[in-house]
């Protein structure tokens, strides 16, 4: 009897171990899929940022030299740099609130009750009247102008400081934080670490709530500037479109005032002289004493500097496969590569002056070739509120600008050193040695930064001396990541609170959540492959010739290397191949059949010119940005002539030839309602890819 009992227990233990082993393998496979999905989303996101930076000089030229047609815009150009004159321009008093308005009515000075009312209104999807929007923004602008570049606050045993990362227009996340943690007050101070706007649909609502609490509790609510608090970035990533869509009459004035507010946001926060909070990070040249003295309001956009950084570093970039090594800091290499170059400021000023002249000259030439007849002059100096004599070309200004850019754009890496951030296209990557040196030099013990989406909402690196916090849950897709915020008491030990704002995600199992995000990531990747069809075919043919294989056949390794050479996303293509390619023959990839499979994703437009179609899809975000710059009256409508000029200007920049007849036919095909003008919404709808598999 005892022997049978022993055998029974032994079998039960063996079965339990087998189940445990199976479950661990199951979870490990899901984790691998989740990480691969994550890399796809992040690679595509960073590729978009690189694209934006490469076209900065192009966008900047349009912003500087395209003379607006509207009388309001002409009025703006006549305003000097006086605060008083700008405040008159932004004055809300001439704007009446009609009796039909059903949203919240605000009184000033702002009170806790007033901001609470605002939060409730936005929770129920009500819109604040433009008069109140301008009033809140105006009061915020006045307050920010007296704040220092670096905010200092002290912890207390009786209350914790709450630190939030990127929100990116996701109002649900902010409301959930307030629900779980409480509203800001003297007893509950908050630090919001930048990137309040873009991508999400409620960026303006988030700003108004945060600004409202800042006005009520200026000593207990602290807002740091992020890299998305930048009007050039906003053109590309949705905030400009959001504001103009919600406030068609006063949207432009709101955006102009926000541009000034963004430039006055503080750059960093320090707790108890021990914890530094900044949006992006640091570099080997970071000096908080210099940052404390920077005229931050003179730096309206950091993109001008990104272009100069690219020039400064020349071709001495980082290999593409470096992206894979720096994408996640959760797995450190035991033997970090040596010889990574440190950045140098030598000869920066001289080389920039020469290159800036040549770029301006080239863009002016392209503008003339494109047929623009608007007047243009020399590149403008920064739009300073108080010092119109600021010299952008001085070496001091360059150095201060670099300090700000590194603070807003940089990312940590596991290897020692400090190198240009080739993945994002701007800022730098800094290693543990730089962290130790900079924190040690300023007698700090911890750097809290944001700027990077993390699957768990937070992540330590550099021997737990650098902490990334990200507060926008489901950033890439439902279930892609948790959001998190930090509670920090007098002991300066961070405590994390994680959450998922989406109820749908909370109801999914782990397998369902991974499957959901994986399908979305692969669909996004297929779109990237679709718009690079011609380049991919050329790369495959070249690889086939070198390996002497049959027509249309290529080895999996050649397929992976050719795909990476075209897309440059730094992804594990050999791992992804089974999910992307089903056309194989004897272990070889039939790329001709695979190209037919890619047609499962089709455009709505019917255009016979394949090269033009691919050019459109590769640059549709840039085209939308250009359209919004040229649409100076913000009517959302663009004439055929403006459409032609836009295409001519972009094609000259891309060094492609597009005839007037082709552009005319394209304009007519996009003009769905045939009213003789192109609605920007029509334009973007034309670029929406349709997944035919979803309808089959």
């Amino acid at each position: 009897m005892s022997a049978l009992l022993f055998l029974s227990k032994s079998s039960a233990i063996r079965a339990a171990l087998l189940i445990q082993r199976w479950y661990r393998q199951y979870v490990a496979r899901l984790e691998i899929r989740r990480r691969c999905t994550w890399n796809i989303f992040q690679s595509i996101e960073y590729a978009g940022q690189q694209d934006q930076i490469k076209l900065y000089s192009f966008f900047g030229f349009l912003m500087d030299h395209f003379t607006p047609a509207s009388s309001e815009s002409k009025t703006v150009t006549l305003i000097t740099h006086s605060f008083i004159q700008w405040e008159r321009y932004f004055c809300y008093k001439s704007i009446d609130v009609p009796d039909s308005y059903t949203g919240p009515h605000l009184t000033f000075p702002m009170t806790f009750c007033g901001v609470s009312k605002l939060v409730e209104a936005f929770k129920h999807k009500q819109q604040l009247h433009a008069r109140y929007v301008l009033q809140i923004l105006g009061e915020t602008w006045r307050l920010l102008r007296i704040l220092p570049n670096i905010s200092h606050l002290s912890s207390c045993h009786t209350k914790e400081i709450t630190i939030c990362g990127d929100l990116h227009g996701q109002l649900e996340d902010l409301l959930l934080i307030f629900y779980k943690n409480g509203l800001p007050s003297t007893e509950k101070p908050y630090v919001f670490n930048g990137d309040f706007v873009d991508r999400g649909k409620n960026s303006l609502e988030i700003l108004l709530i945060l600004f409202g609490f800042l006005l009520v509790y200026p000593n207990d609510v602290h807002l740091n500037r992020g890299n998305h608090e930048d009007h050039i970035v906003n053109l590309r990533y949705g905030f400009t479109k959001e504001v103009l869509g919600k406030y068609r009459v006063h949207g432009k004035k709101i955006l102009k005032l926000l541009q000034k507010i963004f430039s006055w946001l503080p750059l960093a926060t320090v707790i108890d002289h021990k914890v530094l909070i900044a949006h992006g990070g640091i570099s080997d040249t970071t000096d908080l004493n210099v940052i404390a003295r920077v005229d931050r309001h003179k730096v309206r956009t950091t993109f001008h500097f990104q272009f100069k950084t690219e020039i400064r570093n020349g071709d001495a970039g980082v290999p593409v496969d470096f992206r894979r090594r720096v994408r996640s800091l959760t797995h450190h290499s035991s033997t970090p590569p040596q010889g990574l170059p440190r950045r140098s400021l030598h000869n920066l000023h001289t080389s920039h002056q020469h290159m800036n002249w040549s770029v301006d000259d080239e863009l002016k030439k392209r503008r003339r070739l494109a047929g623009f007849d608007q007047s243009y002059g020399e590149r403008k100096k920064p739009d300073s509120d108080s010092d119109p004599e600021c010299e952008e070309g001085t070496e001091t200004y360059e150095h201060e600008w670099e300090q700000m850019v590194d603070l807003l754009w940089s990312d940590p890496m596991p290897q020692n050193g400090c190198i240009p951030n080739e993945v994002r296209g701007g800022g730098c990557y800094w290693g543990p040695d730089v962290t130790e040196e900079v924190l040690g030099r300023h007698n700090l013990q911890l750097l809290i930064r944001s700027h990077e989406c993390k699957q768990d909402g937070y992540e330590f690196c550099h021997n737990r001396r650098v902490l990334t916090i990200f507060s926008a849950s489901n950033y890439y897709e439902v279930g892609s990541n948790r959001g998190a915020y930090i509670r920090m008491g007098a002991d300066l030990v961070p405590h994390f609170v994680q959450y998922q704002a989406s109820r749908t995600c909370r109801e999914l199992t782990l397998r369902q959540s991974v499957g959901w995000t994986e399908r979305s990531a692969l669909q996004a990747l297929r779109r990237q492959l679709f718009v690079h069809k011609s380049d991919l075919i050329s790369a495959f043919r070249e690889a086939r010739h070198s390996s002497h294989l049959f027509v249309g056949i290529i080895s999996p390794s050649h397929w992976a290397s050719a795909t990476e050479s075209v897309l440059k996303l730094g992804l594990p293509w050999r791992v992804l191949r089974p999910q992307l390619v089903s056309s194989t023959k004897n272990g070889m990839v039939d790329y001709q059949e695979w190209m037919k499979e890619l047609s499962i994703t089709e455009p709505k437009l019917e255009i016979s010119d394949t090269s033009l179609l691919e050019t459109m899809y590769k640059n549709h975000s840039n085209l939308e940005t250009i359209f919004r710059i040229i649409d100076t009256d913000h009517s959302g409508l663009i004439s055929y002539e403006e459409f032609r000029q836009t295409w001519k200007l972009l094609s000259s920049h891309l060094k492609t030839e597009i005839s007037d007849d082709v552009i005319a036919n394209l304009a007519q095909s996009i003009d769905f309602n045939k009213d003789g003008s192109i609605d920007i919404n029509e334009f973007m709808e034309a670029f929406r890819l349709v997944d035919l598999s979803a309808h089959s």
Side-chain angles (χ1 to χ4, degrees):
M1 187 69 178
S2 60
L4 289 174
L5 186 61
F6 174 77
L7 288 173
S8 177
K9 287 183 178 179
S10 178
S11 298
I13 292 172
R14 194 179 301 115
L17 289 173
L18 288 172
I19 292 171
Q20 185 182 61
R21 184 185 304 168
W22 172 85
Y23 181 73
R24 286 176 175 171
Q25 291 175 346
Y26 169 76
V27 172
R29 284 194 296 269
L30 284 178
E31 180 62 20
I32 290 172
R33 288 171 58 190
R34 191 170 79 126
R35 288 183 180 276
C36 194
T37 298
W38 183 263
N39 283 347
I40 293 172
F41 280 128
Q42 198 171 63
S43 295
I44 293 173
E45 177 190 11
Y46 288 175
Q49 290 180 345
Q50 284 183 322
D51 189 36
Q52 175 85 357
I53 287 171
K54 288 174 183 175
L55 286 178
Y56 163 75
S57 59
F58 180 61
F59 292 151
F61 185 81
L62 288 178
M63 295 289 285
D64 282 349
H65 298 302
F66 196 95
T67 305
S70 67
S71 58
E72 181 182 349
S73 297
K74 290 178 180 178
T75 302
V76 173
T77 62
L78 298 176
I79 297 177
T80 68
H81 297 282
S82 165
F83 280 124
I84 296 175
Q85 288 175 297
W86 275 116
E87 286 181 345
R88 287 174 185 163
Y89 171 70
F90 294 130
C91 185
Y92 58 87
K93 294 180 180 178
S94 61
I95 304 173
D96 295 323
V97 180
D99 295 334
S100 58
Y101 171 67
T102 58
H105 291 267
L106 303 180
T107 57
F108 292 81
M110 288 289 286
T111 62
F112 178 82
C113 182
V115 187
S116 299
K117 187 191 303 181
L118 195 61
V119 172
E120 285 300 312
F122 291 156
K123 188 184 298 183
H124 294 92
K125 304 189 185 305
Q126 291 181 308
Q127 183 168 305
L128 188 64
H129 194 274
R131 177 188 174 100
Y132 299 128
V133 173
L134 285 169
Q135 202 164 356
I136 290 176
L137 297 182
E139 294 295 323
T140 302
W141 184 36
R142 293 185 190 94
L143 173 60
L144 289 175
R145 291 187 329 230
I146 65 173
L147 297 183
N149 292 345
I150 301 176
S151 305
H152 289 268
L153 60 155
S154 300
S155 62
C156 177
H157 289 285
T158 59
K159 59 185 179 183
E160 292 181 315
I161 298 170
T162 302
I163 304 163
C164 300
D166 298 35
L167 288 165
H168 278 300
Q170 298 185 188
L171 182 60
E172 279 188 350
D173 289 299
L174 180 62
L175 296 178
L176 185 57
I177 292 170
F178 287 162
Y179 173 78
K180 295 170 75 72
N181 195 62
L183 295 173
S185 67
T186 54
E187 299 303 315
K188 198 168 288 293
Y190 275 81
V191 178
F192 294 93
N193 198 25
D195 277 14
F196 318 117
V197 302
D198 281 332
R199 303 187 188 280
K201 297 180 180 179
N202 299 108
S203 297
L204 185 57
E205 286 80 1
I206 286 177
L207 284 179
L208 293 172
I209 289 172
L210 297 185
F211 291 162
F213 280 116
L214 175 67
L215 293 172
V216 177
Y217 303 110
N219 297 317
D220 301 290
V221 174
H222 304 271
L223 308 180
N224 290 341
R225 184 178 182 179
N227 65 302
H228 276 262
E229 278 68 63
D230 185 309
H231 66 283
I232 295 291
V233 181
N234 300 153
L235 279 165
R236 172 73 179 268
Y237 291 102
F239 183 51
T240 300
K241 179 180 179 180
E242 176 191 331
V243 173
L244 295 177
K246 291 176 179 176
Y247 296 94
R248 293 189 176 276
V249 177
H250 302 286
K252 183 179 179 184
K253 190 174 289 188
I254 290 170
L255 285 171
K256 186 66 179 177
L257 183 49
L258 281 168
Q259 180 180 335
K260 292 186 171 294
I261 287 173
F262 288 166
S263 71
W264 277 102
L265 285 170
L267 304 175
T269 301
V270 175
I271 302 175
D272 289 345
H273 304 285
K274 292 296 181 183
V275 178
L276 172 64
I277 307 171
H279 178 73
I282 56 177
S283 72
D284 54 354
T285 63
T286 296
D287 187 336
L288 295 186
N289 296 317
V290 173
I291 291 170
R293 298 192 303 267
V294 168
D295 289 326
R296 66 182 188 271
H297 63 284
K298 295 178 181 177
V299 182
R300 294 309 175 95
T301 177
T302 55
F303 262 89
H304 186 192
F305 187 85
Q306 306 300 347
F307 177 66
K308 291 185 291 185
T309 302
E310 180 181 317
I311 296 166
R312 176 186 65 196
N313 291 298
D315 295 327
V318 185
V320 172
D321 63 355
F322 179 73
R323 300 175 189 180
R324 286 192 282 271
R325 300 202 297 274
V326 298
R327 183 157 286 119
S328 174
L329 296 176
T330 53
H331 295 90
H332 297 275
S333 170
S334 57
T335 57
Q338 301 297 317
L340 292 176
R342 295 175 74 85
R343 300 185 309 159
S344 171
L345 291 174
H346 297 308
N347 302 322
L348 167 64
H349 177 55
T350 304
S351 63
H352 163 62
Q353 280 185 323
H354 173 73
M355 183 61 72
N356 196 46
W357 174 84
S358 62
V359 169
D360 270 4
D361 189 60
E362 181 183 0
L363 285 171
K364 288 175 183 178
K365 178 182 177 182
R366 286 175 179 167
R367 183 181 176 81
R368 288 193 294 270
L369 291 174
F372 283 93
D373 55 2
Q374 288 81 359
S375 61
Y376 59 87
E378 297 302 316
R379 180 173 289 277
K380 299 177 183 177
K381 293 180 179 179
D383 182 14
S384 169
D385 288 317
S386 57
D387 183 12
E389 301 303 322
C390 65
E391 291 295 332
E392 182 178 359
T394 65
E395 189 171 347
T396 301
Y397 188 81
E398 301 277 1
H399 181 55
E400 291 179 350
W401 203 330
E402 181 190 356
Q403 293 276 325
M404 283 186 59
V405 170
D406 287 340
L407 215 61
L408 300 183
W409 279 88
S410 297
D411 294 305
M413 67 177 181
Q415 298 88 356
N416 285 336
C418 189
I419 60 176
N421 192 328
E422 297 292 336
V423 176
R424 287 189 189 270
C428 72
Y429 275 115
W430 86 92
D433 59 331
V434 176
T435 295
E436 291 295 326
E437 193 276 326
V438 173
L439 294 188
R441 176 157 35 92
H442 294 92
N443 197 27
L444 298 166
Q445 66 185 42
L446 178 66
L447 166 61
I448 298 177
R449 42 93 62 179
S450 302
H451 195 42
E452 286 184 287
C453 182
K454 298 298 179 182
Q455 289 182 328
D456 293 319
Y458 72 93
E459 183 178 276
F460 276 106
C461 65
H462 294 183
N463 301 315
R464 298 180 70 86
R465 299 203 69 184
V466 173
L467 170 59
T468 299
I469 187 73
F470 196 86
S471 299
S473 65
N474 308 302
Y475 178 64
Y476 292 122
E477 181 57 84
V478 174
S480 64
N481 67 285
R482 295 178 182 179
Y485 58 89
I486 299 169
R487 287 175 177 159
M488 181 173 283
D491 58 1
L492 300 183
V493 175
H495 301 278
F496 306 99
V497 179
Q498 298 169 292
Y499 53 84
Q500 287 275 12
S502 170
R503 181 178 299 175
T504 302
C505 183
R506 292 195 295 268
E507 294 172 352
L508 295 175
T509 64
L510 177 61
R511 183 177 181 180
Q512 289 172 329
S513 177
V514 171
W516 185 310
T517 55
E518 185 178 58
R519 285 191 295 273
S520 178
L522 290 172
Q523 182 62 19
L525 193 53
R526 288 189 186 99
R527 292 192 191 101
Q528 293 292 314
L529 293 165
F530 172 82
V531 301
H532 290 87
K533 263 178 138 180
S534 297
D535 293 336
L536 284 168
I537 290 174
S538 298
F540 293 152
R541 285 174 177 167
E542 184 176 342
R544 181 187 66 79
H545 285 308
S546 65
S547 55
H548 307 289
L549 292 172
F550 294 109
V551 174
I553 302 297
I554 193 173
S555 70
S557 60
H558 282 129
W559 176 88
S561 59
T563 303
E564 173 59 26
S565 70
V566 173
L567 268 68
K568 296 181 173 61
L569 293 177
L571 292 173
W573 293 105
R574 298 189 71 168
V575 175
L576 291 169
R577 183 184 59 79
Q579 296 168 288
L580 294 170
V581 182
S582 60
S583 302
T584 57
K585 294 180 180 178
N586 300 320
M588 307 297 278
V589 176
D590 187 338
Y591 68 81
Q592 289 184 336
E593 286 299 316
W594 179 58
M595 285 296 155
K596 294 178 182 177
E597 289 177 13
L598 276 183
S599 65
I600 196 170
T601 303
E602 287 192 347
K604 295 187 69 177
L605 289 174
E606 296 181 3
I607 301 175
S608 57
D609 190 331
T610 305
S611 61
L612 175 60
L613 188 63
E614 289 183 12
T615 300
M616 288 175 62
Y617 276 87
K618 285 178 186 176
N619 296 281
H620 77 275
S621 293
N622 297 326
L623 282 166
E624 184 188 14
T625 301
I626 297 165
F627 278 17
R628 293 192 183 282
I629 294 173
I630 292 178
D631 180 23
T632 52
D633 61 357
H634 299 302
S635 64
L637 297 174
I638 296 170
S639 69
Y640 279 11
E641 178 58 20
E642 288 173 324
F643 183 82
R644 185 191 72 81
Q645 291 178 339
T646 299
W647 262 105
K648 283 291 188 181
L649 199 57
L650 182 61
S651 63
S652 68
H653 178 84
L654 298 174
K655 295 180 173 63
T656 59
E657 292 294 332
I658 301 176
S659 69
D660 286 347
D661 290 340
V662 171
I663 296 174
N665 293 333
L666 178 60
Q668 291 174 4
S669 66
I670 292 177
D671 182 14
F672 295 130
N673 60 7
K674 306 304 178 186
D675 62 353
S677 60
I678 298 172
D679 187 303
I680 289 183
N681 293 322
E682 286 180 334
F683 173 78
M684 294 311 297
E685 179 66 13
F687 287 110
R688 187 167 63 86
L689 294 173
V690 179
D691 186 356
L692 298 183
S693 64
H695 306 286
S696 58

